[in-house]
């Protein structure tokens, strides 16, 4: 189970990072959303230290640490707001340059 | 009385909410926002006075939950100095915004966002809970990015996008770090974490967590390999905002490093060595970068890299004197850098086209002699020439380095002498680029591209930079109180157990 979890977090983070580094600005925004999900999954699995199980593991009679769930809730809300803001920025930028290519969006370089 | 610790955060936040309600009445909103900022500054200055005079940290437990369970707001001397510094500079930021001619400043969401920025920044510095630190940093990132996106500069949205993307990566690193610390030690309270890390420093995930937190603070404070967002972002934002971003907003990372190296992991010598190396890199790169720019605002944004480098070197040395010098440098740099960016913004507001690019503002200085005097004194302060506060902070750093270099082996001595040498070289480079700007703006003739382009007869108000320059001179001539304050603060943060005891109430932590 731990291996599966670790692989899932790693895969999500890898995919997100790959998308973040793509040249298309819309893809990099989506990469941001995927990484935030990797972080949330990591925080969820953080709830499992010795003697405590994660919230999603259905083991009767065992305690679950509630704090990471509160952390994830906060992180989700914040990243949702941030993602909405990024999308609105993308709207402005792509309306100005008529492209999503990072190499064409270069007003800052001069 | 303990409620005092939370007032500097709560006043701007409530002020922001009420200012949002006043969005249809601009004059009233501006006056209200300035009043809220002034009240918050009075509260944080009083907090600093209380903490300093009683010698006890002011600790507020939110909702009266005992320390490791609830959120703690803990103002020890370092936090109180930082919060007072932030709000002191922000008062002048608001003052500049009141007299600014930008369109962005007239927007109805400007003042609420500006208040949110100061609330997040102060909160990040006063909080004693590492997850609350994440929330506050996120508040700073969002409000800073939105303020830049609505800038008059047409590249504002791009700069905001760039900043937000890089900052989000930093935020995710911080969250990963927080998760690693929580899974290793089962707590999020900084004091409790410090006690537990001291008791068991060999957890597998601890170095991972430290590296992740360091990456976050490096991106926040624009340490050299992580600085790519900084010059663009600080150039494109509206002048009052860029003056705040480049002077106090980068200090959240500095504060993070000071806490990390003294409270959480005082045993991590490699982190201190890393700070010295990166600081030296920043001094070289920032100085040379500033000397090669074509825009006054961008020049000062690069100069921030160099100055932050000095602060990191001071934090990396970690001796009592050098920590005091680092805190003093933080304070003085905030005052100087906000002034210089305001003056650049003032020149941009007088120029035919609203930009601080040297090709546009060249020669406009003939019509702004008062700004020239202020710019000259500010440049002296930036380079560290007496009788300005820049000299005091550089002298303090130099003395601490010389004293610590006595009697070490070769490697240790090199770690002191290389930055000390660079301190002198950097002052010369600073003089070079400041005088390059003075020559271009005040000495060269005004040469418009077409005869219709004229220097505007009026611009932003010079009141805020004037008062800040007065503060620079006052802090340079009457430096003793601030010097004493920072030395006390460095003595405090070198005894983390006092902080831990004040927060946890004498207990050594809770048992799971």
């Amino acid at each position: 189970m731990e291996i599966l979890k670790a692989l899932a977090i790693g895969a999500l983070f890898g995919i997100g990072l790959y998308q973040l580094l793509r040249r298309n600005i819309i893809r990099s925004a989506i990469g941001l959303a995927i990484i935030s999900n990797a972080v949330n999954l990591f925080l969820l699995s953080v709830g499992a230290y010795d003697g405590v199980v994660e919230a999603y593991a259905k083991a009767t009679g065992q305690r679950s640490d509630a704090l990471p769930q509160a952390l994830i809730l906060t992180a989700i809300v914040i990243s949702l707001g941030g993602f909405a803001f990024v999308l609105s920025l993308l709207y402005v930028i792509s309306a100005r340059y008529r492209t999503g290519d990072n190499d064409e969006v270069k007003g800052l370089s001069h | 009385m303990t409620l005092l610790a939370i007032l500097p955060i709560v006043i701007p936040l409530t002020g922001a909410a009420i200012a949002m309600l006043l969005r249809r009445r601009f004059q009233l909103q501006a006056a209200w926002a300035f009043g809220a900022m002034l009240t918050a500054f009075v509260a944080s200055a009083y907090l600093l006075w209380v903490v300093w005079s009683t010698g006890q940290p002011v600790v507020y437990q939110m909702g009266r939950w005992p320390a490791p369970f609830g959120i703690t707001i803990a103002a020890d001397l370092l936090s109180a100095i930082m919060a007072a510094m932030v709000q002191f500079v922000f008062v002048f930021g608001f003052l500049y915004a009141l007299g600014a001619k930008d369109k962005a400043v007239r927007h109805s969401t400007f003042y609420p966002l500006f208040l949110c920025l100061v609330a997040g920044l102060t909160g990040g510095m006063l909080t004693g809970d590492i997850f609350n630190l994440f929330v506050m940093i996120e508040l700073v990132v969002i409000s800073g990015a939105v303020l830049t996106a609505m800038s008059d500069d047409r590249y504002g949205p791009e700069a905001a996008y760039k900043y937000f993307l890089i900052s989000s990566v930093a935020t995710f690193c911080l969250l990963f770090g927080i998760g690693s610390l929580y899974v290793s030690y089962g707590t999020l309270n900084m004091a409790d974490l410090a006690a537990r890390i001291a008791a068991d420093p060999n957890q597998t995930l601890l170095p991972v967590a430290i590296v992740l937190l360091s990456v976050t603070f490096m991106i926040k404070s624009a340490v050299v390999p992580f600085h790519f967002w900084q010059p663009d972002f600080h150039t494109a934002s509206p002048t009052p905002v860029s003056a705040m971003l480049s002077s106090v907003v980068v200090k959240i990372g500095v504060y993070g490093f000071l806490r990390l190296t003294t409270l959480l992991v005082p045993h991590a010598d490699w982190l201190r060595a890393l700070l010295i190396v990166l600081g030296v890199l920043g001094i070289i790169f920032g100085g040379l970068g500033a000397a090669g720019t074509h825009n006054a605002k961008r020049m000062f944004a690069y100069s921030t890299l160099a100055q932050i480098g000095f602060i990191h070197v001071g934090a990396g040395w970690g001796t009592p004197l050098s920590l005091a010098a680092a805190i003093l440098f933080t304070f003085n740099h905030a005052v100087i850098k906000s002034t210089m960016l305001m003056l650049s913004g003032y020149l941009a507001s007088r120029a035919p086209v609203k930009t601080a690019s040297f090709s546009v503002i060249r020669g406009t200085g003939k019509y702004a002699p008062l700004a020239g005097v202020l710019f000259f004194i500010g440049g002296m302060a930036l380079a560290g020439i007496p009788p300005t506060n820049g000299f005091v902070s550089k002298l303090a750093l130099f003395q601490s380095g010389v004293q610590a270099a006595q009697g070490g082996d070769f490697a240790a001595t090199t770690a002191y002498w290389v930055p000390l040498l660079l301190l002198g070289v950097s002052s010369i480079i600073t003089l070079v680029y400041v005088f390059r700007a003075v020559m271009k703006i005040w000495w060269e003739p005004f040469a418009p591209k077409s005869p219709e382009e004229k220097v505007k007869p009026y611009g932003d108000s010079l009141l805020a930079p004037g008062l800040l320059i007065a503060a620079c001179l006052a802090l340079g001539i009457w430096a003793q109180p601030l010097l004493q304050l920072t030395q006390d603060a460095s003595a405090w943060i070198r005894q983390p157990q006092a902080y831990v005891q004040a927060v946890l109430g004498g207990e050594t932590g809770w048992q799971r």
Side-chain angles (χ1 to χ4, degrees):
Chain A
M1 191 61 198
E2 265 95 24
I3 283 288
L4 209 59
K5 233 165 22 190
L7 282 178
I9 295 168
L12 274 180
F13 197 82
I15 295 168
L17 203 59
Y18 176 67
Q19 294 294 346
L20 192 69
L21 298 175
R22 293 288 285 269
R23 272 188 22 196
N24 193 310
I25 51 174
I26 296 167
R27 279 178 193 275
S28 43
I30 292 171
L32 215 58
I34 297 177
I35 295 185
S36 82
N37 282 318
V39 175
N40 290 341
L41 200 55
F42 175 70
L43 283 180
L44 188 66
S45 56
V46 151
Y49 41 85
D50 40 309
V52 186
V53 291
E54 309 95 321
Y56 54 82
K58 276 192 191 152
T60 44
Q62 279 180 298
R63 301 176 289 154
S64 166
D65 189 352
L67 188 65
Q69 302 167 36
L71 303 190
I72 295 166
L73 201 59
T74 316
I76 286 176
V77 172
I78 290 177
S79 60
L80 174 75
F83 192 57
F85 174 62
V86 165
L87 288 182
S88 66
L89 279 183
L90 286 183
Y91 179 74
V92 174
I93 294 173
S94 59
R96 176 178 295 164
Y97 289 93
R98 293 273 152 218
T99 174
D101 192 341
N102 250 339
D103 287 359
E104 303 294 319
V105 183
K106 52 184 177 186
L108 290 168
S109 56
H110 44 73
Chain B
M1 195 58 201
T2 56
L3 208 60
L4 186 59
I6 201 171
L7 281 185
I9 311 169
V10 167
I11 295 172
L13 267 186
T14 9
I18 296 173
M20 203 62 226
L21 295 176
L22 298 174
R23 66 186 179 280
R24 302 210 183 279
R25 306 187 59 185
F26 176 73
Q27 296 293 338
L28 187 61
Q29 188 199 34
W32 166 262
F34 185 64
M37 187 61 244
L38 215 54
T39 322
F41 169 63
V42 169
S44 61
Y46 183 60
L47 174 68
L48 175 61
W49 170 248
V50 166
V51 171
W52 196 26
S53 58
T54 58
Q56 282 292 322
V58 178
V59 180
Y60 178 68
Q61 314 285 3
M62 292 249 219
R64 301 232 174 133
W65 287 89
F69 304 107
I71 293 172
T72 308
I73 303 290
D76 71 337
L77 201 46
L78 174 65
S79 294
I81 291 178
M82 289 285 184
M85 170 196 85
V86 166
Q87 306 217 329
F88 175 72
V89 177
F90 256 93
V91 167
F92 293 100
F94 273 80
L95 204 57
Y96 189 88
L98 288 177
K101 297 275 182 284
D102 291 39
K103 278 196 214 68
V105 174
R106 312 282 301 181
H107 200 275
S108 60
T109 52
F110 179 84
Y111 286 107
L113 282 168
F114 214 27
L115 281 170
C116 281
L117 186 65
V118 65
L121 207 54
T122 322
M125 283 157 178
L126 284 177
T127 185
D129 183 282
I130 198 161
F131 192 76
N132 205 17
L133 177 69
F134 155 76
V135 175
M136 293 300 182
I137 285 184
E138 216 32 20
L139 185 59
V140 170
V141 169
I142 294 260
S143 36
V146 177
L147 281 170
T148 304
M150 63 197 241
S151 165
D152 285 14
D153 194 312
R154 62 187 303 258
Y155 302 119
E158 283 164 56
Y161 179 74
K162 191 174 180 180
Y163 170 64
F164 196 83
L165 219 60
I166 296 177
S167 283
S168 295
V169 175
T171 309
F172 296 143
C173 286
L174 182 60
L175 271 178
F176 267 110
I178 289 171
S180 314
L181 281 177
Y182 186 70
V183 76
S184 311
Y185 295 101
T187 180
L188 292 173
N189 189 293
M190 270 159 39
D192 200 20
L193 262 179
R196 281 158 183 261
I197 289 173
D200 177 20
N202 293 322
Q203 284 279 352
T204 326
L205 277 179
L206 179 62
V208 181
I210 298 172
V211 169
L212 287 168
L213 291 184
S214 308
V215 168
T216 311
F217 295 141
M218 280 171 192
I219 295 179
K220 290 293 156 204
S221 63
V223 175
V224 151
F226 302 94
H227 70 279
F228 295 102
W229 57 273
Q230 196 252 19
D232 290 337
F233 186 58
H234 291 182
T235 313
S237 50
T239 307
V241 182
S242 82
M244 296 304 108
L245 290 174
S246 203
S247 61
V248 285
V249 174
V250 290
K251 299 291 161 54
I252 187 97
V254 170
Y255 168 77
F257 271 122
L258 285 173
R259 270 276 176 261
L260 200 60
T261 52
T262 56
L263 179 69
L264 290 184
V265 282
H267 58 273
D269 289 330
W270 57 270
L271 182 60
R272 274 197 268 273
L274 184 70
L275 272 184
I276 296 177
V277 172
L278 291 179
V280 166
L281 270 180
I283 295 167
I284 300 171
F285 188 87
L288 295 181
T293 50
H294 302 290
N295 184 311
K297 271 191 181 180
R298 205 180 179 80
M299 183 176 87
F300 291 118
Y302 268 108
S303 142
T304 298
L305 299 182
Q307 308 273 330
I308 294 288
F310 283 124
I311 300 172
H312 282 325
V313 166
W317 284 342
T319 63
L321 272 180
S322 74
L323 280 175
I327 301 169
L328 185 67
F329 214 114
T330 309
F331 197 106
N332 285 341
H333 169 248
V335 177
I336 303 168
K337 191 50 63 67
S338 51
T339 320
M340 297 312 273
L341 276 160
M342 282 175 190
L343 289 172
S344 312
Y346 169 76
L347 289 167
S349 74
R350 292 288 300 273
V353 192
K354 195 173 175 66
T355 167
S357 172
F358 282 138
S359 61
V360 174
I361 59 174
R362 193 161 70 96
T364 53
K366 203 177 92 186
Y367 306 95
L370 178 61
V373 175
L374 297 178
F375 196 95
F376 183 77
I377 302 174
M380 298 286 101
L382 201 59
I385 291 178
T388 54
N389 59 351
F391 170 71
V392 179
S393 46
K394 278 198 174 161
L395 184 70
L397 196 64
F398 196 81
Q399 270 185 336
S400 72
V402 170
Q403 200 189 46
Q406 309 287 336
D409 59 355
F410 180 71
T413 319
T414 316
Y416 292 110
W417 282 113
V418 172
L420 284 181
L421 190 68
L422 283 169
L423 200 63
V425 175
S426 158
S427 288
I428 296 170
I429 296 180
T430 311
L431 275 183
V432 169
Y433 63 71
V434 167
F435 272 100
R436 178 168 153 265
V438 168
M439 276 161 60
K440 274 186 191 294
I441 299 170
W442 278 276
W443 290 2
E444 287 184 16
F446 180 59
K449 290 193 189 75
S450 64
E452 294 94 66
E453 290 189 350
K454 288 197 170 63
V455 175
K456 289 181 188 144
Y458 54 88
D460 298 349
S461 162
L462 268 180
L463 180 64
L467 287 175
L468 277 171
I469 284 289
C472 278
L473 288 173
L475 286 173
I477 294 165
W478 192 46
Q480 184 57 30
L482 195 60
L483 209 58
Q484 187 60 45
L485 189 64
T486 53
Q487 274 167 5
D488 287 354
S490 115
W492 279 42
I493 60 175
R494 284 177 58 78
Q495 298 161 346
Q497 64 273 15
Y499 179 86
V500 172
Q501 234 167 30
V503 172
L504 295 181
E507 295 168 32
T508 49
W510 57 288
Q511 295 303 313
R512 191 162 59 218

